[in-house]
Coordinates of all heavy atoms in Angstrom, one line a residue:
V123 N -13.3 0.7 -11.1 CA -12.2 -0.1 -10.6 C -11.4 0.7 -9.6 O -11.2 1.9 -9.8 CB -11.3 -0.5 -11.8 CG1 -10.0 -1.2 -11.3 CG2 -12.1 -1.5 -12.7
Y124 N -10.9 0.1 -8.6 CA -10.1 0.7 -7.6 C -8.7 0.1 -7.6 O -8.6 -1.1 -7.7 CB -10.7 0.6 -6.2 CG -12.0 1.3 -6.0 CD1 -13.2 0.7 -6.4 CD2 -12.0 2.6 -5.5 CE1 -14.4 1.4 -6.3 CE2 -13.2 3.3 -5.4 CZ -14.4 2.7 -5.8 OH -15.6 3.4 -5.7
T125 N -7.7 0.9 -7.6 CA -6.3 0.4 -7.7 C -5.4 1.0 -6.6 O -5.8 1.9 -5.9 CB -5.7 0.9 -9.0 OG1 -5.6 2.3 -9.1 CG2 -6.4 0.3 -10.2
V126 N -4.3 0.3 -6.4 CA -3.3 0.7 -5.4 C -2.0 0.8 -6.2 O -1.6 -0.2 -6.9 CB -3.1 -0.2 -4.2 CG1 -1.9 0.2 -3.4 CG2 -4.4 -0.2 -3.4
D127 N -1.3 1.9 -6.1 CA 0.0 2.1 -6.9 C 1.1 1.7 -6.0 O 1.5 2.4 -5.1 CB 0.1 3.6 -7.3 CG 1.3 3.8 -8.2 OD1 2.1 2.8 -8.4 OD2 1.5 4.9 -8.6
L128 N 1.5 0.4 -6.2 CA 2.6 -0.2 -5.4 C 4.0 0.4 -5.6 O 4.9 0.3 -4.8 CB 2.6 -1.7 -5.5 CG 1.4 -2.4 -5.1 CD1 1.5 -3.9 -5.4 CD2 1.1 -2.1 -3.6
S129 N 4.1 1.1 -6.7 CA 5.4 1.8 -7.0 C 5.7 2.9 -6.0 O 6.8 3.4 -6.0 CB 5.5 2.3 -8.5 OG 4.5 3.3 -8.7
Q130 N 4.7 3.3 -5.3 CA 4.9 4.4 -4.3 C 5.5 3.9 -3.0 O 5.8 4.7 -2.1 CB 3.6 5.1 -4.0 CG 3.0 5.9 -5.2 CD 1.7 6.6 -4.8 OE1 1.3 6.6 -3.7 NE2 1.1 7.1 -5.8
I131 N 5.6 2.6 -2.8 CA 6.1 2.0 -1.6 C 7.6 2.3 -1.5 O 8.3 2.1 -2.4 CB 5.8 0.5 -1.5 CG1 4.3 0.2 -1.4 CG2 6.5 -0.1 -0.2 CD1 4.0 -1.2 -1.5
K132 N 8.0 2.8 -0.3 CA 9.4 3.1 -0.1 C 9.9 2.3 1.1 O 9.2 1.7 1.8 CB 9.6 4.6 0.2 CG 9.1 5.5 -1.0 CD 9.1 6.9 -0.6 CE 8.6 7.8 -1.7 NZ 7.4 7.4 -2.4
K133 N 11.2 2.4 1.4 CA 11.8 1.7 2.5 C 11.2 2.1 3.8 O 11.0 1.3 4.7 CB 13.3 2.0 2.6 CG 14.1 1.2 1.6 CD 15.6 1.5 1.8 CE 16.4 0.7 0.8 NZ 17.8 0.8 1.0
T134 N 10.8 3.3 3.9 CA 10.2 3.8 5.2 C 8.8 3.2 5.4 O 8.2 3.4 6.5 CB 10.1 5.4 5.2 OG1 9.4 5.8 4.0 CG2 11.5 6.0 5.2
D135 N 8.2 2.6 4.4 CA 6.9 2.0 4.5 C 6.9 0.6 5.0 O 5.9 -0.1 5.1 CB 6.1 2.1 3.2 CG 5.9 3.5 2.7 OD1 5.6 4.3 3.6 OD2 5.9 3.7 1.5
I136 N 8.1 0.1 5.3 CA 8.3 -1.3 5.8 C 8.9 -1.2 7.2 O 9.9 -0.6 7.4 CB 9.3 -2.1 4.9 CG1 8.8 -2.1 3.4 CG2 9.5 -3.5 5.4 CD1 9.8 -2.5 2.4
R137 N 8.1 -1.8 8.1 CA 8.5 -1.7 9.5 C 8.8 -3.1 10.1 O 8.0 -4.0 9.8 CB 7.5 -1.1 10.4 CG 7.2 0.3 10.0 CD 8.0 1.3 10.8 NE 8.0 2.7 10.2 CZ 7.1 3.5 10.1 NH1 5.9 3.2 10.7 NH2 7.2 4.7 9.6
F138 N 9.8 -3.3 10.8 CA 10.2 -4.6 11.4 C 9.9 -4.6 12.9 O 10.3 -3.7 13.6 CB 11.7 -4.9 11.2 CG 12.1 -4.9 9.7 CD1 12.8 -3.8 9.2 CD2 11.8 -5.9 8.9 CE1 13.2 -3.7 7.9 CE2 12.2 -5.9 7.5 CZ 12.9 -4.8 7.1
D139 N 9.3 -5.7 13.4 CA 9.2 -5.9 14.8 C 9.9 -7.3 15.0 O 9.3 -8.3 14.8 CB 7.8 -6.0 15.2 CG 7.7 -6.2 16.8 OD1 8.7 -6.5 17.4 OD2 6.6 -5.9 17.3
E140 N 11.3 -7.2 15.3 CA 12.1 -8.4 15.4 C 11.6 -9.3 16.5 O 11.7 -10.5 16.4 CB 13.6 -8.0 15.5 CG 14.1 -7.4 14.3 CD 15.6 -7.0 14.4 OE1 16.3 -7.6 15.2 OE2 15.9 -6.0 13.8
E141 N 11.2 -8.7 17.6 CA 10.7 -9.4 18.8 C 9.5 -10.3 18.5 O 9.4 -11.4 18.8 CB 10.5 -8.5 20.0 CG 10.3 -9.2 21.3 CD 10.2 -8.2 22.4 OE1 11.2 -7.4 22.6 OE2 9.2 -8.2 23.1
A142 N 8.5 -9.6 17.9 CA 7.2 -10.3 17.5 C 7.3 -11.0 16.2 O 6.4 -11.8 15.8 CB 6.1 -9.3 17.5
K143 N 8.4 -10.8 15.4 CA 8.6 -11.5 14.1 C 7.5 -11.1 13.2 O 6.9 -11.9 12.5 CB 8.7 -13.0 14.2 CG 9.7 -13.5 15.1 CD 11.0 -13.5 14.4 CE 12.1 -14.2 15.3 NZ 13.4 -13.8 15.1
I144 N 7.1 -9.7 13.1 CA 6.1 -9.2 12.3 C 6.7 -8.1 11.4 O 7.4 -7.2 11.9 CB 4.9 -8.6 13.1 CG1 4.2 -9.7 13.9 CG2 3.9 -7.9 12.2 CD1 3.2 -9.2 14.9
I145 N 6.3 -8.1 10.2 CA 6.7 -7.1 9.2 C 5.4 -6.4 8.9 O 4.4 -7.0 8.5 CB 7.4 -7.6 8.0 CG1 8.7 -8.3 8.3 CG2 7.6 -6.5 6.9 CD1 9.3 -9.0 7.2
T146 N 5.4 -5.0 9.1 CA 4.2 -4.3 8.7 C 4.5 -3.5 7.4 O 5.5 -2.8 7.4 CB 3.8 -3.3 9.8 OG1 3.6 -4.1 11.0 CG2 2.5 -2.6 9.5
L147 N 3.7 -3.6 6.4 CA 3.9 -2.9 5.2 C 2.8 -1.9 5.0 O 1.6 -2.2 5.1 CB 3.8 -3.9 4.0 CG 3.9 -3.4 2.6 CD1 5.2 -2.7 2.4 CD2 3.7 -4.5 1.6
Y148 N 3.2 -0.6 4.9 CA 2.2 0.5 4.7 C 2.1 0.8 3.2 O 3.0 1.0 2.6 CB 2.7 1.7 5.5 CG 2.7 1.5 7.0 CD1 3.8 1.0 7.6 CD2 1.5 1.7 7.7 CE1 3.8 0.8 9.0 CE2 1.5 1.5 9.1 CZ 2.7 1.0 9.7 OH 2.7 0.8 11.1
I149 N 0.8 0.7 2.8 CA 0.5 0.9 1.4 C -0.3 2.1 1.2 O -1.0 2.6 2.1 CB -0.2 -0.3 0.7 CG1 -1.5 -0.6 1.4 CG2 0.7 -1.6 0.8 CD1 -2.4 -1.6 0.7
P150 N -0.3 2.7 0.0 CA -1.2 3.9 -0.2 C -2.7 3.4 -0.2 O -3.0 2.3 -0.5 CB -0.8 4.4 -1.6 CG 0.3 3.5 -2.1 CD 0.5 2.4 -1.2
H151 N -3.6 4.4 0.0 CA -5.0 4.1 0.0 C -5.4 3.8 -1.4 O -4.7 4.2 -2.4 CB -5.8 5.3 0.5 CG -5.8 5.4 2.0 ND1 -6.5 4.7 2.8 CD2 -5.0 6.3 2.7 CE1 -6.3 5.1 4.1 NE2 -5.3 6.0 4.0
A152 N -6.4 3.0 -1.6 CA -7.0 2.7 -2.9 C -7.5 3.9 -3.6 O -7.9 4.9 -2.9 CB -8.1 1.7 -2.8
V153 N -7.4 4.0 -4.9 CA -7.8 5.1 -5.7 C -8.8 4.7 -6.7 O -8.7 3.6 -7.3 CB -6.6 5.7 -6.5 CG1 -7.0 6.8 -7.4 CG2 -5.5 6.2 -5.5
Q154 N -9.9 5.5 -6.8 CA -10.9 5.1 -7.7 C -10.5 5.6 -9.1 O -10.2 6.8 -9.3 CB -12.2 5.8 -7.3 CG -13.4 5.5 -8.3 CD -14.6 6.3 -7.9 OE1 -15.0 6.4 -6.8 NE2 -15.2 6.9 -8.9
E155 N -10.6 4.7 -10.1 CA -10.4 5.1 -11.5 C -11.8 5.6 -12.0 O -12.8 5.6 -11.3 CB -10.0 3.9 -12.3 CG -8.7 3.2 -11.8 CD -7.5 4.1 -11.8 OE1 -7.4 4.9 -12.8 OE2 -6.6 4.0 -11.0
E156 N -11.8 6.0 -13.3 CA -13.0 6.6 -13.9 C -14.1 5.6 -14.0 O -13.9 4.4 -14.2 CB -12.7 7.2 -15.3 CG -13.8 7.9 -15.9 CD -13.5 8.5 -17.3 OE1 -12.3 8.7 -17.5 OE2 -14.4 8.7 -18.0
I157 N -15.3 6.0 -13.8 CA -16.5 5.1 -14.0 C -16.6 4.8 -15.5 O -16.7 5.8 -16.3 CB -17.8 5.8 -13.4 CG1 -17.7 6.1 -11.9 CG2 -19.0 4.9 -13.7 CD1 -18.8 6.9 -11.4
N158 N -16.7 3.6 -15.8 CA -16.7 3.1 -17.2 C -18.2 2.7 -17.5 O -18.7 1.8 -16.9 CB -15.8 2.0 -17.4 CG -15.8 1.5 -18.9 OD1 -16.1 2.3 -19.8 ND2 -15.4 0.3 -19.1
I159 N -18.8 3.4 -18.4 CA -20.2 3.1 -18.9 C -20.1 2.7 -20.4 O -20.1 3.5 -21.2 CB -21.1 4.3 -18.7 CG1 -21.1 4.8 -17.3 CG2 -22.6 3.9 -19.1 CD1 -21.9 6.1 -17.1
P160 N -20.0 1.4 -20.6 CA -19.9 0.9 -22.0 C -21.2 1.2 -22.8 O -22.3 1.2 -22.2 CB -19.6 -0.6 -22.0 CG -19.3 -0.8 -20.5 CD -19.8 0.3 -19.7

C-alpha cells in the first residue's frame, strides 16, 4: 500500500494564482508501506 501523509501540508504548500483563478496544492510524495504477505 502507498500512502500520502496529508498532515504534513502547511500554508506554504498552498499557492494562489488570483488572475488565473487556480489554487495549486503541493503534497508530499507517496510513501510505500511494508509489503504484506498473509
Side-chain angles (χ1 to χ4, degrees):
V123 171
Y124 294 85
T125 61
V126 172
D127 188 357
L128 296 178
S129 66
Q130 293 181 11
I131 297 175
K132 299 173 183 47
K133 284 185 179 185
T134 56
D135 296 323
I136 304 168
R137 300 269 164 70
F138 304 103
D139 185 342
E140 292 179 32
E141 192 174 301
K143 304 279 188 208
I144 296 173
I145 296 172
T146 304
L147 177 61
Y148 294 93
I149 63 171
H151 286 279
V153 174
Q154 178 185 317
E155 302 296 327
E156 185 177 336
I157 298 172
N158 181 25
I159 305 172

